[in-house]
Amino acid sequence: MNKKNKIVWVCHFTNSFVQSKLPLWKKSQPFAAWIPSTLEGFEDSDEFELHIISPHQYLKKNTSFKEKNITYHFFKIGIPFLNRTWPIFFDLDLYTNYFFNKKEIKRLINKIEPDLINLQGAENPYYSSAALELYAKYPLLVTIQGFVSLEVDSGDTKHYKKRVEIEKEIINKCSYFGGDLDSKLVIESLKSDSFEYFNFLYPFGSNVKRFYLEEKAEKRNKEYDILFWSRITKGKGAEDFIKIVAALKQTFPQIKAQMIGGSSDEYINVLKKSANYLNCLENINFRGFVTNIDDLYGEVIKNKILVLPTYNDRLPTVLREAMQLGLPIVSYKTGSIPGINNKDEVILLSEVGDIDTIVKQITILLNEKFFFNDLIQKAMKYSEDEFGIKNNCAKMTNAYKNILLSK
């Protein structure tokens, strides 16, 4: 029997399954859903021995467990014994350049002795900074999740500057990168030296269960006309969405909109004040963050159209999932999103900040049922071909094989 190559993912995520396996002081909100979704495509793989290394908040003790051919290693972060993150005014991780986290990641790496490391995202230094001490010893593939240096509403804090610094250092020191085509172009613009190894194009997959489309298709109660689904921030277009609702109300006085996603109470109050000023507050349901994934998808399919007025994004997970859940999509042209329409009009696009065009596009979708349904079918077919977990994991597997052969 041939020995399996060991692959380690260094990443961060959590969900209800993981938290059911861990000794926690308290639970936290799920995030980075694309990580466990993609991992499902590797659960039955017999080609690799896959290990996951991830920090986790509120963890009582470092914990490892194995589930469906994947071994998970979660380690504690933050203040010892108190199990909480460091306060902003004294962030020891920041001042020590994430020394303790890097030490634990390196300890686990040395114990596993992998053949290849796949860093999931360069923009989160509390785990990604470990790559700077590992890339010279191990083949290391950096999967691009996004670019913190391109965010428009991060402020000018020490934490943001450190994130940008580490991200750029990883990009300039590592050689192997994977992600979508737009990520490749951004990498080339940020990297000071030429490189040859961005051969691996694999947008993160999405894993929305087909029964939402098949068994529940006729049972859907479309309570809302348009949906904003993302982190609720200025950079994601939350303020533009409020203006879109206000503009649509001129034609559709009873327009119903929903906003799903996490945000601060302060920012939600800012949005509510804006909506009140624009006379559309009663038209918007601020649903907030939905923890359970089944509840989330159940809430999403109550909406007719997904609106993504995001100012900076690669290829949002919500876009991929909304396609599979049967929602037509209206979006700004940013990141890799326009590439979806390379062969056919799968989603409706407008220039960043062009609220008038988005309003016209939504109006057409609400008025023309044939066009509405045609766009849904195109999007579902495209998402099945491009974002299916099996296809996505096959692309990642080929990337691993190519890198291992080049050693």
Side-chain angles (χ1 to χ4, degrees):
M1 181 180 294
N2 294 329
K3 175 181 174 292
K4 292 182 182 179
N5 288 119
K6 294 181 182 179
I7 310 293
V8 168
W9 284 22
V10 179
C11 59
H12 73 165
F13 79 101
T14 191
N15 59 12
S16 57
F17 162 72
V18 161
Q19 295 189 39
S20 72
K21 293 284 188 177
L22 297 178
L24 300 171
W25 291 105
K26 69 175 184 177
K27 294 185 177 181
S28 52
Q29 290 186 341
F31 65 92
W34 56 89
I35 297 293
S37 287
T38 306
L39 285 174
E40 287 188 28
F42 286 101
E43 287 178 347
D44 298 321
S45 172
D46 57 3
E47 295 192 71
F48 302 111
E49 180 182 323
L50 187 58
H51 293 256
I52 312 302
I53 296 176
S54 175
H56 201 289
Q57 197 173 23
Y58 308 127
L59 189 59
K60 293 180 181 179
K61 63 179 181 178
N62 296 349
T63 302
S64 298
F65 64 90
K66 187 173 182 178
E67 185 78 17
K68 294 183 178 178
N69 296 319
I70 300 174
T71 304
Y72 297 83
H73 310 270
F74 289 94
F75 65 92
K76 298 190 297 180
I77 56 174
I79 304 173
F81 307 112
L82 295 182
N83 293 285
R84 54 176 294 182
T85 55
W86 296 98
I88 293 176
F89 62 85
F90 183 70
D91 189 336
L92 191 62
D93 284 339
L94 181 67
Y95 298 132
T96 62
N97 209 25
Y98 306 96
F99 172 81
F100 298 103
N101 292 0
K102 289 190 292 187
K103 181 180 179 182
E104 182 59 25
I105 292 172
K106 287 191 293 181
R107 184 189 72 80
L108 288 166
I109 291 289
N110 290 334
K111 180 179 179 181
I112 297 167
E113 296 183 330
D115 297 286
L116 183 148
I117 298 171
N118 189 180
L119 174 67
Q120 306 292 344
E123 76 277 19
N124 300 301
Y126 80 116
Y127 69 87
S128 65
S129 57
L132 297 172
E133 300 183 20
L134 295 168
Y135 76 95
K137 183 177 179 181
Y138 299 94
L140 193 148
L141 169 64
V142 182
T143 296
I144 297 299
Q145 298 180 148
F147 297 94
V148 69
S149 55
L150 300 182
E151 291 184 2
V152 298
D153 55 2
S154 296
D156 192 30
T157 65
K158 291 181 180 179
H159 289 81
Y160 175 68
K161 290 178 179 178
K162 176 60 72 172
R163 292 182 71 191
V164 171
E165 173 191 324
I166 297 296
E167 177 184 82
K168 288 185 176 179
E169 192 173 357
I170 290 171
I171 288 171
N172 279 288
K173 288 188 175 179
C174 295
S175 298
Y176 302 97
F177 297 88
D180 54 49
L181 182 59
D182 186 68
S183 296
K184 176 180 179 180
L185 299 176
V186 175
I187 288 283
E188 289 173 343
S189 71
L190 295 176
K191 199 168 176 65
S192 57
D193 298 322
S194 61
F195 68 112
E196 304 174 0
Y197 298 110
F198 202 125
N199 300 319
F200 314 118
L201 298 177
Y202 48 85
F204 273 110
S206 102
N207 203 23
V208 177
K209 305 301 184 186
R210 295 296 299 179
F211 74 83
Y212 279 98
L213 301 177
E214 296 165 356
E215 296 181 10
K216 298 188 177 182
E218 296 181 359
K219 299 179 182 179
R220 296 180 192 170
N221 178 18
K222 295 294 187 180
E223 297 179 19
Y224 303 96
D225 299 294
I226 60 173
L227 168 67
F228 178 96
W229 177 20
S230 180
R231 282 185 294 114
I232 300 178
T233 67
K234 182 176 182 178
K236 293 291 186 180
E239 293 171 31
D240 286 20
F241 185 77
I242 301 295
K243 295 174 183 176
I244 290 166
V245 177
L248 285 166
K249 189 173 181 179
Q250 304 305 311
T251 306
F252 306 97
Q254 303 303 316
I255 189 83
K256 296 188 70 175
Q258 181 164 221
M259 300 186 77
I260 297 177
S263 187
S264 67
D265 292 339
E266 292 79 8
Y267 190 62
I268 293 298
N269 286 333
V270 168
L271 295 178
K272 287 182 176 180
K273 287 180 180 178
S274 175
N276 187 55
Y277 176 78
L278 294 171
N279 193 34
C280 63
L281 180 59
E282 70 276 11
N283 300 89
I284 305 173
N285 176 39
F286 291 86
R287 179 66 173 82
F289 188 86
V290 181
T291 301
N292 181 275
I293 196 68
D294 289 336
D295 292 341
L296 172 61
Y297 292 152
E299 198 67 40
V300 168
I301 61 177
K302 294 178 182 178
N303 298 265
K304 294 178 182 176
I305 302 165
L306 176 68
V307 182
L308 284 175
T310 176
Y311 277 69
N312 174 53
D313 238 315
R314 307 269 60 79
L315 197 64
T317 300
V318 297
L319 184 152
R320 302 191 292 270
E321 293 181 331
M323 283 184 173
Q324 293 185 342
L325 289 170
L327 275 67
I329 295 164
V330 180
S331 175
Y332 284 157
K333 295 178 182 178
T334 187
S336 296
I337 295 173
I340 292 173
N341 284 353
N342 280 346
K343 295 181 179 179
D344 195 2
E345 187 175 54
V346 178
I347 61 177
L348 302 183
L349 298 171
S350 70
E351 298 297 332
V352 173
D354 187 353
I355 290 173
D356 290 342
T357 296
I358 279 198
V359 170
K360 290 176 184 176
Q361 291 167 334
I362 294 171
T363 300
I364 292 171
L365 284 172
L366 292 175
N367 284 332
E368 299 186 17
K369 188 173 182 180
F370 177 82
F371 182 59
F372 179 92
N373 290 330
D374 184 58
L375 209 62
I376 289 175
Q377 295 304 314
K378 287 180 180 179
M380 288 171 58
K381 177 64 167 61
Y382 182 91
S383 65
E384 186 176 343
D385 292 342
E386 295 294 323
F387 305 135
I389 290 298
K390 288 186 177 180
N391 291 341
N392 185 260
C393 291
K395 293 174 184 176
M396 296 181 77
T397 295
N398 286 334
Y400 298 157
K401 290 178 178 178
N402 286 334
I403 294 172
L404 290 169
L405 287 173
S406 70
K407 286 200 302 180

